[in-house]
């Protein structure tokens, strides 16, 4: 599959980190994204718009991650879920590229 635009949703509890992620995601030419602060906001966002990738990061506990994964299986079964622990733009890009490669998805 080849995409013109990669739609990313990032869910996390640490506001400062999430602001940086929002800037990094939306600063890329062919990435666009939204940042949410809770499990329920992530589920709501996925019920309102399609995303290719969900980043679970910045304080989302494993129990909440399990709930999100279960709910998204019905809402958006093809979404790629990445557990992102930070580390700057280079790590974020590497994680996303590896996930896209694993799912045979390319960006133009």
């Amino acid at each position: 599959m080849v995409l013109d635009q990669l739609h990313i949703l990032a869910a996390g509890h640490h506001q400062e980190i999430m602001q940086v992620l929002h800037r990094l995601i939306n600063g890329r030419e062919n990435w666009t994204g939204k940042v949410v602060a809770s499990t329920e906001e992530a589920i709501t966002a996925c019920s309102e718009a399609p995303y290719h990738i969900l980043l679970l990061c910045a304080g989302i506990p494993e129990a909440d991650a399990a709930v999100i994964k279960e709910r998204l299986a019905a809402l958006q079964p093809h979404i790629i879920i990445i557990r992102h622990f930070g580390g700057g733009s280079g790590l974020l890009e590497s994680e996303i590229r590896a996930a896209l490669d694993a799912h045979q998805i390319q960006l133009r």
Side-chain angles (χ1 to χ4, degrees):
M1 175 189 316
V2 179
L3 301 173
D4 291 322
Q5 193 77 20
L6 183 64
H7 299 284
I8 301 169
L9 177 64
H13 294 310
H14 297 116
Q15 184 178 2
E16 297 84 15
I17 294 171
M18 299 313 292
Q19 288 172 344
V20 170
L21 269 176
H22 186 267
R23 184 175 38 85
L24 290 173
I25 291 168
N26 289 293
R28 299 285 309 227
E29 181 179 333
N30 53 357
W31 293 7
T32 187
K34 180 177 181 174
V35 170
V36 297
S38 72
T39 301
E40 285 307 314
E41 286 180 85
I43 293 166
T44 299
C46 286
S47 69
E48 296 173 346
Y51 292 95
H52 300 107
I53 291 180
L54 169 63
L55 297 173
L56 295 176
C57 45
I60 296 286
E62 286 302 321
D64 288 357
V67 169
I68 292 171
K69 290 174 184 178
E70 181 181 319
R71 299 278 299 277
L72 291 188
L75 289 172
Q76 293 194 35
H78 299 294
I79 196 168
I80 301 167
I81 299 174
I82 300 172
R83 195 71 152 129
H84 177 68
F85 293 101
S89 62
L91 178 60
L92 177 64
E93 183 176 356
S94 294
E95 290 172 336
I96 289 175
R97 289 195 183 279
L100 294 177
D101 288 347
H103 289 84
Q104 300 179 339
I105 299 171
Q106 298 177 353
L107 291 173
R108 290 186 206 268

